[in-house]
Amino acid sequence: MSAISGMTGFGRADGGLDGWTWTVEARSVNGRALETRYRGPHGFDSLERLTKAAAQVRLNRGQVTVGVQAKRAEGSEPAPRVNEAVLATYLRLANQLAEEGATPPSADGLLSLRGVIEVAEEDEDAEGRAAVEAAMAVTVEQALDALKLSRQREGEQLTPVIHDFVGTIEALVVRAELEASAQVEAIRERFTRRINELAPDAPGLDERIFLEAAALATKADVREELDRLTAHVASARTLLQQPPAGRKLDFLMQEFMREANTLCSKSATTPLTGIGLELKAVIEQLREQVQNVE
């Protein structure tokens, strides 16, 4: 039997290669669909696409944030270099301004100008950069695996809570069925009393009371609502054994509440109305828990 998962969790993994070290953190919160956000180091352009693809393989719902923090060991960073062509252009312009009376530029001033100092990229070692990126992608997958495990642990905690709420709903439906059987008699007695108060000597009173009471009892019949509530209880238990079921459970909660509202509106007795209100309260509590199910 598969187990349901939650949508809140955290996972972390570390890695390193060729002077690079990195840490990947993946966290998620509730969401109607799967939304993956990525933050990572400059120069590893394919890592975002790989991260989102890895999340889609493992997760179905939730807002997921994956962050990659990477750094290079001292001495392994690319050495800075002077772009002589850019420097020559700045010098020519500076000399022209100096001839017109401007202050000649200083060496540190020229070196601070944009484009003069460059940090060599790893373009000349594309294979090495690709190997580091591939290793980072593996660490991302490890962090997402840890996140998935965290969400599964949340699901293990949610499962008995949800089953308890479903069991409470089932027990309330049984109580409602017992109370509903007394509705016809309650309606007849109430209608008889009102008619006798208003027109005690009216001809054909007994037959009229019977017909009107029957009509009211038909309107107040809650057997269909109770049957549907019973069916929804069975559906909830089935869905809990067939994850991912969060979306379907969300919809089922709406159906639960619709039947409970109708039950309350049709109720002709105070006890049945009380049961209906209890049902609504428990269904709302169940809905809050279902919001955490993947």
Side-chain angles (χ1 to χ4, degrees), residues 4-9 28-31 61-62 150-159 161-162 165 245-247 249-250 253 285-294:
I4 65 171
S5 293
M7 285 190 284
T8 302
S28 67
V29 295
N30 297 354
R61 299 177 75 197
S150 176
R151 288 162 56 122
Q152 288 173 342
R153 286 195 291 264
E154 184 192 32
E156 292 173 358
Q157 296 174 345
L158 284 172
T159 299
V161 175
I162 293 176
F165 280 127
R247 286 178 176 273
L249 286 170
D250 280 342
M253 294 306 102
Q285 291 175 309
L286 176 57
R287 186 193 67 80
E288 292 176 358
Q289 295 300 326
V290 165
Q291 298 301 307
N292 301 313
V293 177
E294 183 178 24

PDB file of all heavy atoms in Angstrom, residues 4-9 28-31 61-62 150-159 161-162 165 245-247 249-250 253 285-294:
ATOM      1  N   ILE A   4       0.608   8.289   1.706  1.00  0.00           N
ATOM      2  CA  ILE A   4       0.483   9.668   1.256  1.00  0.00           C
ATOM      3  C   ILE A   4       1.689  10.477   1.737  1.00  0.00           C
ATOM      4  O   ILE A   4       2.361  10.125   2.703  1.00  0.00           O
ATOM      5  CB  ILE A   4      -0.821  10.307   1.760  1.00  0.00           C
ATOM      6  CG1 ILE A   4      -0.811  10.419   3.297  1.00  0.00           C
ATOM      7  CG2 ILE A   4      -2.030   9.549   1.257  1.00  0.00           C
ATOM      8  CD1 ILE A   4      -1.968  11.227   3.836  1.00  0.00           C
ATOM      9  N   SER A   5       1.968  11.552   1.037  1.00  0.00           N
ATOM     10  CA  SER A   5       3.050  12.459   1.406  1.00  0.00           C
ATOM     11  C   SER A   5       2.472  13.826   1.711  1.00  0.00           C
ATOM     12  O   SER A   5       1.417  14.202   1.185  1.00  0.00           O
ATOM     13  CB  SER A   5       4.074  12.582   0.266  1.00  0.00           C
ATOM     14  OG  SER A   5       4.753  11.364   0.080  1.00  0.00           O
ATOM     15  N   GLY A   6       3.194  14.566   2.536  1.00  0.00           N
ATOM     16  CA  GLY A   6       2.831  15.954   2.773  1.00  0.00           C
ATOM     17  C   GLY A   6       3.479  16.839   1.726  1.00  0.00           C
ATOM     18  O   GLY A   6       4.112  16.361   0.776  1.00  0.00           O
ATOM     19  N   MET A   7       3.348  18.139   1.899  1.00  0.00           N
ATOM     20  CA  MET A   7       3.968  19.074   0.968  1.00  0.00           C
ATOM     21  C   MET A   7       4.985  19.989   1.633  1.00  0.00           C
ATOM     22  O   MET A   7       5.577  20.838   0.975  1.00  0.00           O
ATOM     23  CB  MET A   7       2.892  19.916   0.266  1.00  0.00           C
ATOM     24  CG  MET A   7       2.132  19.162  -0.794  1.00  0.00           C
ATOM     25  SD  MET A   7       1.074  20.229  -1.799  1.00  0.00           S
ATOM     26  CE  MET A   7      -0.275  20.540  -0.689  1.00  0.00           C
ATOM     27  N   THR A   8       5.194  19.821   2.923  1.00  0.00           N
ATOM     28  CA  THR A   8       6.159  20.644   3.629  1.00  0.00           C
ATOM     29  C   THR A   8       7.375  19.792   3.977  1.00  0.00           C
ATOM     30  O   THR A   8       7.218  18.693   4.517  1.00  0.00           O
ATOM     31  CB  THR A   8       5.557  21.215   4.918  1.00  0.00           C
ATOM     32  OG1 THR A   8       4.394  21.981   4.588  1.00  0.00           O
ATOM     33  CG2 THR A   8       6.545  22.120   5.625  1.00  0.00           C
ATOM     34  N   GLY A   9       8.563  20.283   3.639  1.00  0.00           N
ATOM     35  CA  GLY A   9       9.754  19.506   3.942  1.00  0.00           C
ATOM     36  C   GLY A   9      11.023  20.264   3.617  1.00  0.00           C
ATOM     37  O   GLY A   9      10.997  21.372   3.063  1.00  0.00           O
ATOM     38  N   SER A  28      10.097  22.990   0.620  1.00  0.00           N
ATOM     39  CA  SER A  28       8.797  23.124  -0.041  1.00  0.00           C
ATOM     40  C   SER A  28       7.717  23.434   0.975  1.00  0.00           C
ATOM     41  O   SER A  28       7.819  23.080   2.146  1.00  0.00           O
ATOM     42  CB  SER A  28       8.438  21.843  -0.809  1.00  0.00           C
ATOM     43  OG  SER A  28       8.206  20.770   0.081  1.00  0.00           O
ATOM     44  N   VAL A  29       6.676  24.102   0.486  1.00  0.00           N
ATOM     45  CA  VAL A  29       5.482  24.401   1.263  1.00  0.00           C
ATOM     46  C   VAL A  29       4.267  24.044   0.412  1.00  0.00           C
ATOM     47  O   VAL A  29       4.398  23.654  -0.746  1.00  0.00           O
ATOM     48  CB  VAL A  29       5.434  25.890   1.680  1.00  0.00           C
ATOM     49  CG1 VAL A  29       6.576  26.222   2.636  1.00  0.00           C
ATOM     50  CG2 VAL A  29       5.490  26.805   0.456  1.00  0.00           C
ATOM     51  N   ASN A  30       3.085  24.194   0.988  1.00  0.00           N
ATOM     52  CA  ASN A  30       1.862  23.809   0.287  1.00  0.00           C
ATOM     53  C   ASN A  30       1.657  24.616  -0.988  1.00  0.00           C
ATOM     54  O   ASN A  30       2.014  25.798  -1.068  1.00  0.00           O
ATOM     55  CB  ASN A  30       0.646  24.013   1.201  1.00  0.00           C
ATOM     56  CG  ASN A  30       0.703  23.132   2.437  1.00  0.00           C
ATOM     57  OD1 ASN A  30       1.591  22.292   2.559  1.00  0.00           O
ATOM     58  ND2 ASN A  30      -0.223  23.314   3.342  1.00  0.00           N
ATOM     59  N   GLY A  31       1.044  23.989  -1.975  1.00  0.00           N
ATOM     60  CA  GLY A  31       0.711  24.663  -3.224  1.00  0.00           C
ATOM     61  C   GLY A  31      -0.283  23.828  -4.004  1.00  0.00           C
ATOM     62  O   GLY A  31      -0.293  22.597  -3.900  1.00  0.00           O
ATOM     63  N   ARG A  61       3.027  18.166  -6.158  1.00  0.00           N
ATOM     64  CA  ARG A  61       2.426  19.438  -5.759  1.00  0.00           C
ATOM     65  C   ARG A  61       3.360  20.153  -4.796  1.00  0.00           C
ATOM     66  O   ARG A  61       4.257  19.552  -4.198  1.00  0.00           O
ATOM     67  CB  ARG A  61       1.074  19.231  -5.051  1.00  0.00           C
ATOM     68  CG  ARG A  61       0.001  18.557  -5.866  1.00  0.00           C
ATOM     69  CD  ARG A  61      -1.246  18.348  -5.020  1.00  0.00           C
ATOM     70  NE  ARG A  61      -1.988  19.577  -4.806  1.00  0.00           N
ATOM     71  CZ  ARG A  61      -2.899  19.738  -3.861  1.00  0.00           C
ATOM     72  NH1 ARG A  61      -3.147  18.761  -2.997  1.00  0.00           N
ATOM     73  NH2 ARG A  61      -3.556  20.873  -3.740  1.00  0.00           N
ATOM     74  N   GLY A  62       3.116  21.456  -4.639  1.00  0.00           N
ATOM     75  CA  GLY A  62       3.866  22.225  -3.659  1.00  0.00           C
ATOM     76  C   GLY A  62       4.738  23.289  -4.300  1.00  0.00           C
ATOM     77  O   GLY A  62       5.103  23.197  -5.478  1.00  0.00           O
ATOM     78  N   SER A 150      11.517  13.799   3.538  1.00  0.00           N
ATOM     79  CA  SER A 150      10.954  14.652   4.580  1.00  0.00           C
ATOM     80  C   SER A 150       9.453  14.798   4.420  1.00  0.00           C
ATOM     81  O   SER A 150       8.693  14.749   5.389  1.00  0.00           O
ATOM     82  CB  SER A 150      11.640  16.022   4.544  1.00  0.00           C
ATOM     83  OG  SER A 150      11.074  16.908   5.479  1.00  0.00           O
ATOM     84  N   ARG A 151       9.005  14.966   3.171  1.00  0.00           N
ATOM     85  CA  ARG A 151       7.573  15.086   2.903  1.00  0.00           C
ATOM     86  C   ARG A 151       6.840  13.774   3.203  1.00  0.00           C
ATOM     87  O   ARG A 151       5.690  13.773   3.652  1.00  0.00           O
ATOM     88  CB  ARG A 151       7.355  15.523   1.450  1.00  0.00           C
ATOM     89  CG  ARG A 151       7.731  16.967   1.214  1.00  0.00           C
ATOM     90  CD  ARG A 151       7.935  17.289  -0.272  1.00  0.00           C
ATOM     91  NE  ARG A 151       6.816  16.970  -1.111  1.00  0.00           N
ATOM     92  CZ  ARG A 151       6.157  17.841  -1.882  1.00  0.00           C
ATOM     93  NH1 ARG A 151       6.517  19.116  -1.878  1.00  0.00           N
ATOM     94  NH2 ARG A 151       5.170  17.465  -2.651  1.00  0.00           N
ATOM     95  N   GLN A 152       7.503  12.647   2.940  1.00  0.00           N
ATOM     96  CA  GLN A 152       6.891  11.361   3.253  1.00  0.00           C
ATOM     97  C   GLN A 152       6.716  11.185   4.759  1.00  0.00           C
ATOM     98  O   GLN A 152       5.708  10.623   5.208  1.00  0.00           O
ATOM     99  CB  GLN A 152       7.744  10.228   2.676  1.00  0.00           C
ATOM    100  CG  GLN A 152       7.664  10.125   1.158  1.00  0.00           C
ATOM    101  CD  GLN A 152       8.633   9.112   0.585  1.00  0.00           C
ATOM    102  OE1 GLN A 152       9.591   8.707   1.252  1.00  0.00           O
ATOM    103  NE2 GLN A 152       8.407   8.702  -0.649  1.00  0.00           N
ATOM    104  N   ARG A 153       7.692  11.666   5.516  1.00  0.00           N
ATOM    105  CA  ARG A 153       7.553  11.591   6.980  1.00  0.00           C
ATOM    106  C   ARG A 153       6.389  12.440   7.459  1.00  0.00           C
ATOM    107  O   ARG A 153       5.661  12.053   8.384  1.00  0.00           O
ATOM    108  CB  ARG A 153       8.858  12.032   7.647  1.00  0.00           C
ATOM    109  CG  ARG A 153       9.971  11.000   7.550  1.00  0.00           C
ATOM    110  CD  ARG A 153      11.088  11.316   8.525  1.00  0.00           C
ATOM    111  NE  ARG A 153      11.803  12.519   8.137  1.00  0.00           N
ATOM    112  CZ  ARG A 153      12.920  12.534   7.433  1.00  0.00           C
ATOM    113  NH1 ARG A 153      13.450  11.380   7.015  1.00  0.00           N
ATOM    114  NH2 ARG A 153      13.517  13.671   7.129  1.00  0.00           N
ATOM    115  N   GLU A 154       6.204  13.603   6.822  1.00  0.00           N
ATOM    116  CA  GLU A 154       5.042  14.421   7.177  1.00  0.00           C
ATOM    117  C   GLU A 154       3.757  13.667   6.845  1.00  0.00           C
ATOM    118  O   GLU A 154       2.781  13.700   7.606  1.00  0.00           O
ATOM    119  CB  GLU A 154       5.067  15.757   6.443  1.00  0.00           C
ATOM    120  CG  GLU A 154       3.921  16.676   6.866  1.00  0.00           C
ATOM    121  CD  GLU A 154       3.731  17.876   5.968  1.00  0.00           C
ATOM    122  OE1 GLU A 154       4.003  17.764   4.756  1.00  0.00           O
ATOM    123  OE2 GLU A 154       3.286  18.913   6.468  1.00  0.00           O
ATOM    124  N   GLY A 155       3.750  12.979   5.701  1.00  0.00           N
ATOM    125  CA  GLY A 155       2.570  12.204   5.324  1.00  0.00           C
ATOM    126  C   GLY A 155       2.260  11.098   6.317  1.00  0.00           C
ATOM    127  O   GLY A 155       1.087  10.813   6.607  1.00  0.00           O
ATOM    128  N   GLU A 156       3.311  10.469   6.873  1.00  0.00           N
ATOM    129  CA  GLU A 156       3.102   9.429   7.877  1.00  0.00           C
ATOM    130  C   GLU A 156       2.420  10.001   9.125  1.00  0.00           C
ATOM    131  O   GLU A 156       1.640   9.299   9.788  1.00  0.00           O
ATOM    132  CB  GLU A 156       4.443   8.801   8.249  1.00  0.00           C
ATOM    133  CG  GLU A 156       5.068   7.977   7.114  1.00  0.00           C
ATOM    134  CD  GLU A 156       6.470   7.512   7.456  1.00  0.00           C
ATOM    135  OE1 GLU A 156       6.961   7.868   8.556  1.00  0.00           O
ATOM    136  OE2 GLU A 156       7.068   6.811   6.625  1.00  0.00           O
ATOM    137  N   GLN A 157       2.734  11.251   9.440  1.00  0.00           N
ATOM    138  CA  GLN A 157       2.099  11.884  10.590  1.00  0.00           C
ATOM    139  C   GLN A 157       0.671  12.324  10.268  1.00  0.00           C
ATOM    140  O   GLN A 157      -0.208  12.306  11.133  1.00  0.00           O
ATOM    141  CB  GLN A 157       2.925  13.088  11.033  1.00  0.00           C
ATOM    142  CG  GLN A 157       4.308  12.716  11.533  1.00  0.00           C
ATOM    143  CD  GLN A 157       5.178  13.922  11.844  1.00  0.00           C
ATOM    144  OE1 GLN A 157       4.866  15.044  11.429  1.00  0.00           O
ATOM    145  NE2 GLN A 157       6.264  13.710  12.566  1.00  0.00           N
ATOM    146  N   LEU A 158       0.433  12.719   9.009  1.00  0.00           N
ATOM    147  CA  LEU A 158      -0.902  13.173   8.617  1.00  0.00           C
ATOM    148  C   LEU A 158      -1.899  12.018   8.505  1.00  0.00           C
ATOM    149  O   LEU A 158      -3.085  12.193   8.804  1.00  0.00           O
ATOM    150  CB  LEU A 158      -0.831  13.885   7.258  1.00  0.00           C
ATOM    151  CG  LEU A 158      -0.277  15.301   7.210  1.00  0.00           C
ATOM    152  CD1 LEU A 158      -0.105  15.738   5.768  1.00  0.00           C
ATOM    153  CD2 LEU A 158      -1.210  16.252   7.940  1.00  0.00           C
ATOM    154  N   THR A 159      -1.426  10.858   8.076  1.00  0.00           N
ATOM    155  CA  THR A 159      -2.335   9.750   7.756  1.00  0.00           C
ATOM    156  C   THR A 159      -3.255   9.376   8.913  1.00  0.00           C
ATOM    157  O   THR A 159      -4.484   9.320   8.733  1.00  0.00           O
ATOM    158  CB  THR A 159      -1.528   8.523   7.291  1.00  0.00           C
ATOM    159  OG1 THR A 159      -0.799   8.868   6.110  1.00  0.00           O
ATOM    160  CG2 THR A 159      -2.454   7.359   6.984  1.00  0.00           C
ATOM    161  N   VAL A 161      -4.157  11.112  11.469  1.00  0.00           N
ATOM    162  CA  VAL A 161      -5.026  12.256  11.788  1.00  0.00           C
ATOM    163  C   VAL A 161      -6.204  12.307  10.820  1.00  0.00           C
ATOM    164  O   VAL A 161      -7.370  12.473  11.221  1.00  0.00           O
ATOM    165  CB  VAL A 161      -4.221  13.576  11.739  1.00  0.00           C
ATOM    166  CG1 VAL A 161      -5.149  14.768  11.958  1.00  0.00           C
ATOM    167  CG2 VAL A 161      -3.113  13.566  12.783  1.00  0.00           C
ATOM    168  N   ILE A 162      -5.904  12.150   9.531  1.00  0.00           N
ATOM    169  CA  ILE A 162      -6.969  12.188   8.518  1.00  0.00           C
ATOM    170  C   ILE A 162      -7.924  11.016   8.694  1.00  0.00           C
ATOM    171  O   ILE A 162      -9.153  11.171   8.609  1.00  0.00           O
ATOM    172  CB  ILE A 162      -6.347  12.198   7.108  1.00  0.00           C
ATOM    173  CG1 ILE A 162      -5.599  13.529   6.875  1.00  0.00           C
ATOM    174  CG2 ILE A 162      -7.414  12.004   6.035  1.00  0.00           C
ATOM    175  CD1 ILE A 162      -4.860  13.605   5.563  1.00  0.00           C
ATOM    176  N   PHE A 165     -10.375  11.728  11.456  1.00  0.00           N
ATOM    177  CA  PHE A 165     -11.447  12.644  11.056  1.00  0.00           C
ATOM    178  C   PHE A 165     -12.482  11.928  10.181  1.00  0.00           C
ATOM    179  O   PHE A 165     -13.686  12.139  10.339  1.00  0.00           O
ATOM    180  CB  PHE A 165     -10.883  13.846  10.320  1.00  0.00           C
ATOM    181  CG  PHE A 165     -10.302  14.904  11.229  1.00  0.00           C
ATOM    182  CD1 PHE A 165      -9.016  15.375  11.044  1.00  0.00           C
ATOM    183  CD2 PHE A 165     -11.043  15.432  12.274  1.00  0.00           C
ATOM    184  CE1 PHE A 165      -8.474  16.336  11.882  1.00  0.00           C
ATOM    185  CE2 PHE A 165     -10.525  16.396  13.118  1.00  0.00           C
ATOM    186  CZ  PHE A 165      -9.230  16.852  12.927  1.00  0.00           C
ATOM    187  N   ALA A 245      -3.013  11.991  -3.983  1.00  0.00           N
ATOM    188  CA  ALA A 245      -4.469  12.157  -3.963  1.00  0.00           C
ATOM    189  C   ALA A 245      -4.903  13.526  -3.469  1.00  0.00           C
ATOM    190  O   ALA A 245      -6.083  13.750  -3.245  1.00  0.00           O
ATOM    191  CB  ALA A 245      -5.091  11.082  -3.079  1.00  0.00           C
ATOM    192  N   GLY A 246      -3.961  14.444  -3.289  1.00  0.00           N
ATOM    193  CA  GLY A 246      -4.305  15.734  -2.709  1.00  0.00           C
ATOM    194  C   GLY A 246      -5.376  16.489  -3.470  1.00  0.00           C
ATOM    195  O   GLY A 246      -6.322  17.021  -2.870  1.00  0.00           O
ATOM    196  N   ARG A 247      -5.250  16.557  -4.792  1.00  0.00           N
ATOM    197  CA  ARG A 247      -6.236  17.303  -5.594  1.00  0.00           C
ATOM    198  C   ARG A 247      -7.623  16.671  -5.459  1.00  0.00           C
ATOM    199  O   ARG A 247      -8.632  17.371  -5.316  1.00  0.00           O
ATOM    200  CB  ARG A 247      -5.816  17.320  -7.059  1.00  0.00           C
ATOM    201  CG  ARG A 247      -4.641  18.251  -7.369  1.00  0.00           C
ATOM    202  CD  ARG A 247      -4.297  18.149  -8.847  1.00  0.00           C
ATOM    203  NE  ARG A 247      -3.261  19.078  -9.202  1.00  0.00           N
ATOM    204  CZ  ARG A 247      -3.447  20.332  -9.558  1.00  0.00           C
ATOM    205  NH1 ARG A 247      -4.678  20.814  -9.574  1.00  0.00           N
ATOM    206  NH2 ARG A 247      -2.444  21.124  -9.892  1.00  0.00           N
ATOM    207  N   LEU A 249      -8.754  14.793  -3.047  1.00  0.00           N
ATOM    208  CA  LEU A 249      -9.265  14.995  -1.695  1.00  0.00           C
ATOM    209  C   LEU A 249      -9.775  16.414  -1.505  1.00  0.00           C
ATOM    210  O   LEU A 249     -10.771  16.641  -0.808  1.00  0.00           O
ATOM    211  CB  LEU A 249      -8.168  14.681  -0.673  1.00  0.00           C
ATOM    212  CG  LEU A 249      -7.855  13.196  -0.466  1.00  0.00           C
ATOM    213  CD1 LEU A 249      -6.594  13.029   0.369  1.00  0.00           C
ATOM    214  CD2 LEU A 249      -9.033  12.475   0.188  1.00  0.00           C
ATOM    215  N   ASP A 250      -9.098  17.388  -2.132  1.00  0.00           N
ATOM    216  CA  ASP A 250      -9.586  18.771  -2.085  1.00  0.00           C
ATOM    217  C   ASP A 250     -11.017  18.851  -2.621  1.00  0.00           C
ATOM    218  O   ASP A 250     -11.892  19.486  -2.018  1.00  0.00           O
ATOM    219  CB  ASP A 250      -8.684  19.685  -2.925  1.00  0.00           C
ATOM    220  CG  ASP A 250      -7.424  20.082  -2.181  1.00  0.00           C
ATOM    221  OD1 ASP A 250      -7.396  19.954  -0.946  1.00  0.00           O
ATOM    222  OD2 ASP A 250      -6.464  20.517  -2.835  1.00  0.00           O
ATOM    223  N   MET A 253     -13.620  17.218  -0.325  1.00  0.00           N
ATOM    224  CA  MET A 253     -14.004  18.035   0.830  1.00  0.00           C
ATOM    225  C   MET A 253     -15.164  18.972   0.472  1.00  0.00           C
ATOM    226  O   MET A 253     -16.049  19.226   1.296  1.00  0.00           O
ATOM    227  CB  MET A 253     -12.812  18.850   1.335  1.00  0.00           C
ATOM    228  CG  MET A 253     -11.677  18.030   1.924  1.00  0.00           C
ATOM    229  SD  MET A 253     -12.203  16.891   3.236  1.00  0.00           S
ATOM    230  CE  MET A 253     -12.232  15.330   2.330  1.00  0.00           C
ATOM    231  N   GLN A 285     -12.255  20.778   9.685  1.00  0.00           N
ATOM    232  CA  GLN A 285     -10.979  20.355  10.260  1.00  0.00           C
ATOM    233  C   GLN A 285     -10.263  19.386   9.323  1.00  0.00           C
ATOM    234  O   GLN A 285      -9.031  19.461   9.158  1.00  0.00           O
ATOM    235  CB  GLN A 285     -11.204  19.699  11.619  1.00  0.00           C
ATOM    236  CG  GLN A 285     -11.673  20.667  12.704  1.00  0.00           C
ATOM    237  CD  GLN A 285     -12.006  19.956  13.998  1.00  0.00           C
ATOM    238  OE1 GLN A 285     -12.763  18.974  14.008  1.00  0.00           O
ATOM    239  NE2 GLN A 285     -11.459  20.431  15.097  1.00  0.00           N
ATOM    240  N   LEU A 286     -11.016  18.489   8.715  1.00  0.00           N
ATOM    241  CA  LEU A 286     -10.429  17.553   7.761  1.00  0.00           C
ATOM    242  C   LEU A 286      -9.893  18.295   6.542  1.00  0.00           C
ATOM    243  O   LEU A 286      -8.805  17.974   6.038  1.00  0.00           O
ATOM    244  CB  LEU A 286     -11.473  16.515   7.350  1.00  0.00           C
ATOM    245  CG  LEU A 286     -11.049  15.506   6.269  1.00  0.00           C
ATOM    246  CD1 LEU A 286      -9.810  14.740   6.702  1.00  0.00           C
ATOM    247  CD2 LEU A 286     -12.200  14.543   5.964  1.00  0.00           C
ATOM    248  N   ARG A 287     -10.637  19.278   6.075  1.00  0.00           N
ATOM    249  CA  ARG A 287     -10.189  20.055   4.909  1.00  0.00           C
ATOM    250  C   ARG A 287      -8.850  20.736   5.182  1.00  0.00           C
ATOM    251  O   ARG A 287      -7.978  20.776   4.314  1.00  0.00           O
ATOM    252  CB  ARG A 287     -11.244  21.107   4.555  1.00  0.00           C
ATOM    253  CG  ARG A 287     -10.949  21.870   3.257  1.00  0.00           C
ATOM    254  CD  ARG A 287     -11.844  23.077   3.130  1.00  0.00           C
ATOM    255  NE  ARG A 287     -11.529  24.069   4.150  1.00  0.00           N
ATOM    256  CZ  ARG A 287     -10.509  24.919   4.062  1.00  0.00           C
ATOM    257  NH1 ARG A 287      -9.710  24.905   3.009  1.00  0.00           N
ATOM    258  NH2 ARG A 287     -10.285  25.784   5.032  1.00  0.00           N
ATOM    259  N   GLU A 288      -8.676  21.250   6.385  1.00  0.00           N
ATOM    260  CA  GLU A 288      -7.419  21.906   6.737  1.00  0.00           C
ATOM    261  C   GLU A 288      -6.250  20.923   6.674  1.00  0.00           C
ATOM    262  O   GLU A 288      -5.146  21.290   6.254  1.00  0.00           O
ATOM    263  CB  GLU A 288      -7.519  22.525   8.126  1.00  0.00           C
ATOM    264  CG  GLU A 288      -8.488  23.724   8.200  1.00  0.00           C
ATOM    265  CD  GLU A 288      -8.641  24.251   9.617  1.00  0.00           C
ATOM    266  OE1 GLU A 288      -8.017  23.656  10.527  1.00  0.00           O
ATOM    267  OE2 GLU A 288      -9.372  25.235   9.800  1.00  0.00           O
ATOM    268  N   GLN A 289      -6.483  19.691   7.089  1.00  0.00           N
ATOM    269  CA  GLN A 289      -5.416  18.684   7.023  1.00  0.00           C
ATOM    270  C   GLN A 289      -5.147  18.254   5.585  1.00  0.00           C
ATOM    271  O   GLN A 289      -3.993  18.031   5.191  1.00  0.00           O
ATOM    272  CB  GLN A 289      -5.800  17.463   7.876  1.00  0.00           C
ATOM    273  CG  GLN A 289      -5.900  17.759   9.360  1.00  0.00           C
ATOM    274  CD  GLN A 289      -4.609  18.268   9.952  1.00  0.00           C
ATOM    275  OE1 GLN A 289      -3.515  17.879   9.543  1.00  0.00           O
ATOM    276  NE2 GLN A 289      -4.711  19.170  10.924  1.00  0.00           N
ATOM    277  N   VAL A 290      -6.210  18.150   4.797  1.00  0.00           N
ATOM    278  CA  VAL A 290      -6.055  17.725   3.406  1.00  0.00           C
ATOM    279  C   VAL A 290      -5.246  18.741   2.597  1.00  0.00           C
ATOM    280  O   VAL A 290      -4.573  18.376   1.622  1.00  0.00           O
ATOM    281  CB  VAL A 290      -7.454  17.511   2.776  1.00  0.00           C
ATOM    282  CG1 VAL A 290      -7.387  17.430   1.256  1.00  0.00           C
ATOM    283  CG2 VAL A 290      -8.075  16.223   3.329  1.00  0.00           C
ATOM    284  N   GLN A 291      -5.273  20.009   3.026  1.00  0.00           N
ATOM    285  CA  GLN A 291      -4.490  21.027   2.333  1.00  0.00           C
ATOM    286  C   GLN A 291      -2.993  20.716   2.373  1.00  0.00           C
ATOM    287  O   GLN A 291      -2.221  21.259   1.585  1.00  0.00           O
ATOM    288  CB  GLN A 291      -4.723  22.400   2.975  1.00  0.00           C
ATOM    289  CG  GLN A 291      -6.154  22.913   2.917  1.00  0.00           C
ATOM    290  CD  GLN A 291      -6.649  23.029   1.484  1.00  0.00           C
ATOM    291  OE1 GLN A 291      -6.007  23.658   0.639  1.00  0.00           O
ATOM    292  NE2 GLN A 291      -7.783  22.423   1.206  1.00  0.00           N
ATOM    293  N   ASN A 292      -2.570  19.827   3.291  1.00  0.00           N
ATOM    294  CA  ASN A 292      -1.165  19.486   3.408  1.00  0.00           C
ATOM    295  C   ASN A 292      -0.778  18.233   2.617  1.00  0.00           C
ATOM    296  O   ASN A 292       0.390  17.838   2.605  1.00  0.00           O
ATOM    297  CB  ASN A 292      -0.809  19.238   4.889  1.00  0.00           C
ATOM    298  CG  ASN A 292      -1.084  20.455   5.759  1.00  0.00           C
ATOM    299  OD1 ASN A 292      -0.706  21.554   5.411  1.00  0.00           O
ATOM    300  ND2 ASN A 292      -1.738  20.241   6.888  1.00  0.00           N
ATOM    301  N   VAL A 293      -1.752  17.606   1.969  1.00  0.00           N
ATOM    302  CA  VAL A 293      -1.505  16.334   1.273  1.00  0.00           C
ATOM    303  C   VAL A 293      -1.065  16.585  -0.159  1.00  0.00           C
ATOM    304  O   VAL A 293      -1.671  17.371  -0.874  1.00  0.00           O
ATOM    305  CB  VAL A 293      -2.773  15.446   1.305  1.00  0.00           C
ATOM    306  CG1 VAL A 293      -2.535  14.161   0.505  1.00  0.00           C
ATOM    307  CG2 VAL A 293      -3.145  15.112   2.735  1.00  0.00           C
ATOM    308  N   GLU A 294      -0.016  15.893  -0.567  1.00  0.00           N
ATOM    309  CA  GLU A 294       0.497  16.043  -1.945  1.00  0.00           C
ATOM    310  C   GLU A 294      -0.525  15.534  -2.958  1.00  0.00           C
ATOM    311  O   GLU A 294      -1.101  14.478  -2.758  1.00  0.00           O
ATOM    312  CB  GLU A 294       1.800  15.270  -2.105  1.00  0.00           C
ATOM    313  CG  GLU A 294       2.425  15.436  -3.478  1.00  0.00           C
ATOM    314  CD  GLU A 294       3.732  14.705  -3.627  1.00  0.00           C
ATOM    315  OE1 GLU A 294       3.951  13.724  -2.877  1.00  0.00           O
ATOM    316  OE2 GLU A 294       4.539  15.090  -4.479  1.00  0.00           O
TER     317      GLU A 294
END
